[in-house]
Amino acid sequence: MKIGSHVSFSGKGLLAAAEEALGYGATTFMIYTGAPQNTRRKPMEEQYVPEGLALMKEHGIDEIVVHAPYIINLGSYKTDTFGLAVEFLQSEIERTAYIGAADSIVLHPGAYTDKDAQYGIKRIAEGLNEVLTVNGRVHIALETMAGKGTELGRTFEELAAIMDKVHDNDRLRVCLDTCHVHDAGYDIINDFDGVMQEFDRIIGLDRLAVIHVNDSKNPRGARKDRHAPIGSGYIGFDAIHRIVHHEVAKGKPIILETPWIGKDKANQRPMYEAEIALLTGNAEGRFGPEFLEDVARLRAFFDEQLGHPGRNGRDYVLATWELLQDKKQRAEDKREPMERLYDLVVEHGLFPDCSEEQINMRLVGYFAGI
Ligand SMILES: [Zn+2]
């Protein structure tokens, strides 16, 4: 399985990115070629590409993913915004081709802002037609979106409509984001097979190139786009486990973009290493048998403390998110389910020798039901 996460490309560029990914036990990874929120980019010659590729090769990583910055908008009617997006994507194709090991640039299709969806679809296709005048084998993978604001790509039909209008659409692919499609209303929890049949009928499964795996802080159809660590949200570990082991995901880069966790914003840590190990069934190999024993202790502790937390805390997690949907309840206590469980563990001194990060990783293990 090719599984990894978003990693930083700053400092020593591809070398730093590969080192970070290997630290999580990843077999692929995703980068932004610079800050995700702007379009300033250093020349690729300064990004330690040969060094990064050598390290990747040594560890058998042969495919990575590039994500375009989320501020560019091909759907904009404004000449300068649209022009910047086209120009940026053309140079991004060149940067991605330079890396060699990256085949796809993930792109949020765009937002129609003050116009309408029809306009946005046409405009994005117009932009892609211009972008794709730059030659190269690199694909653009349009991402499925949650449907917040006026963003497009909320349905498979919208993605297909954009692709239909692009001449060289052999160079277009799709990135499926589990949080986004769930938020957009697709039932990937109970009927992933059905959702994939629909994807196949409308877009074609041969177009599926990348999978983003994230849990969601909101119920299906909420159109919010707020990611959660695997198992701590509405989708749950079991549904995500089924997706990453589904035949449609075979051989494709599976990328985590789950939030970093920690009470102090400056010291938050990613859960990627635990998420990767748990999704690949390698928790014991990665963290040793003590990790499993700790998770068993957690389970016994929560069973006792919470009465009926449900299988792997599912009932507790969902009930807490439901509570947080209510403004008044949220004003009283805005802590998310995972933070509440963490506090309970600390309050009872369950793991006095563990860091906050280690406790949180054990919580992810609890959600995974190991
Ligand atoms: Zn994205």
Side-chain angles (χ1 to χ4, degrees):
M1 192 193 296
K2 284 182 192 169
I3 185 166
S5 68
H6 163 227
V7 294
S8 170
F9 194 63
S10 63
K12 290 198 171 185
L14 191 66
L15 180 60
E19 280 170 351
E20 185 183 346
L22 290 168
Y24 303 140
T27 46
T28 183
F29 57 88
M30 182 176 80
I31 53 164
Y32 290 80
T33 59
Q37 64 277 14
N38 69 46
T39 55
R40 267 177 284 125
R41 294 297 182 258
K42 271 204 292 194
M44 290 306 279
E45 289 74 17
E46 296 169 23
Q47 297 286 18
Y48 295 80
V49 172
E51 292 87 347
L53 288 173
L55 184 62
M56 285 160 56
K57 196 173 173 201
E58 196 184 311
H59 293 272
I61 299 181
D62 59 6
E63 185 181 4
I64 64 166
V65 178
V66 169
H67 199 310
Y70 40 74
I71 49 131
I72 62 170
N73 183 13
L74 278 182
S76 177
Y77 62 88
K78 293 180 184 157
T79 317
D80 51 345
T81 308
F82 178 82
L84 176 78
V86 168
E87 209 179 292
F88 182 88
L89 281 169
Q90 289 180 329
S91 63
E92 192 81 327
I93 287 178
E94 275 155 9
R95 277 188 292 272
T96 304
Y98 184 94
I99 295 174
D103 181 57
S104 299
I105 301 172
V106 173
L107 173 71
H108 297 181
Y112 59 81
T113 63
D114 307 331
K115 299 280 187 176
D116 59 27
Q118 247 357 73
Y119 176 88
I121 287 167
K122 266 179 62 191
R123 186 68 158 167
I124 292 165
E126 181 193 340
L128 287 170
N129 277 323
E130 253 187 78
V131 169
L132 293 175
T133 56
V134 172
N135 282 327
R137 38 146 214 95
V138 174
H139 296 101
I140 292 186
L142 302 175
E143 184 163 350
T144 57
M145 302 307 290
K148 91 180 164 309
T150 66
E151 68 187 10
L152 290 161
R154 307 165 282 195
T155 60
F156 300 155
E157 284 82 357
E158 280 184 354
L159 291 176
I162 293 167
M163 291 171 135
D164 265 352
K165 294 180 171 56
V166 175
H167 311 307
D168 198 3
N169 69 18
D170 269 357
R171 288 176 66 190
L172 296 180
R173 294 284 182 271
V174 171
C175 167
L176 182 93
D177 185 307
T178 55
C179 169
H180 297 176
V181 289
H182 162 86
D183 281 26
Y186 292 97
D187 188 1
I188 59 169
I189 301 170
N190 303 300
D191 188 22
F192 186 68
D193 279 335
V195 173
M196 284 301 97
Q197 277 159 18
E198 200 175 331
F199 185 102
D200 194 31
R201 190 163 38 82
I202 296 162
I203 296 173
L205 272 171
D206 51 332
R207 301 273 190 179
L208 181 61
V210 180
I211 298 174
H212 282 173
V213 283
N214 301 298
D215 212 325
S216 173
K217 294 187 180 180
N218 289 283
R220 178 158 68 88
R223 302 193 154 191
K224 285 289 201 327
D225 189 3
R226 295 189 60 221
H227 300 182
I230 306 303
S232 74
Y234 271 87
I235 302 174
F237 182 88
D238 289 353
I240 289 173
H241 186 268
R242 272 198 299 279
I243 292 169
V244 305
H245 290 276
H246 197 278
E247 68 179 320
V248 299
K250 225 179 223 160
K252 299 187 179 134
I254 297 168
I255 305 291
L256 293 151
E257 301 170 301
T258 49
W260 291 34
I261 301 296
K263 291 203 164 268
D264 171 14
K265 276 226 154 37
N267 292 311
Q268 292 182 320
R269 296 291 306 148
M271 294 294 109
Y272 304 145
E273 187 183 4
E275 292 168 323
I276 291 169
L278 291 159
L279 285 171
T280 55
N282 185 35
E284 186 169 4
R286 189 83 193 164
F287 302 113
E290 315 79 45
F291 185 86
L292 275 63
E293 286 160 23
D294 287 352
V295 172
R297 269 184 74 196
L298 269 183
R299 183 170 297 108
F301 171 70
F302 290 137
D303 282 350
E304 183 202 303
Q305 288 290 319
L306 303 170
H308 299 284
R311 204 170 91 81
N312 314 324
R314 259 344 260 156
D315 294 350
Y316 176 80
V317 166
L318 291 172
T320 308
W321 283 120
E322 285 304 325
L323 208 74
L324 290 166
Q325 298 278 316
D326 181 79
K327 269 200 180 119
K328 217 183 113 209
Q329 297 269 15
R330 204 172 54 222
E332 267 168 41
D333 184 354
K334 66 174 173 45
R335 291 174 307 153
E336 294 178 354
M338 198 168 159
E339 186 179 354
R340 293 182 190 215
L341 294 174
Y342 171 81
D343 286 345
L344 206 59
V345 167
V346 172
E347 198 184 301
H348 287 77
L350 206 60
F351 300 118
D353 300 327
C354 282
S355 66
E356 183 178 17
E357 178 186 11
Q358 288 170 324
I359 293 175
N360 281 321
M361 284 192 174
R362 281 152 181 74
L363 285 173
V364 177
Y366 170 59
F367 297 142
I370 53 166

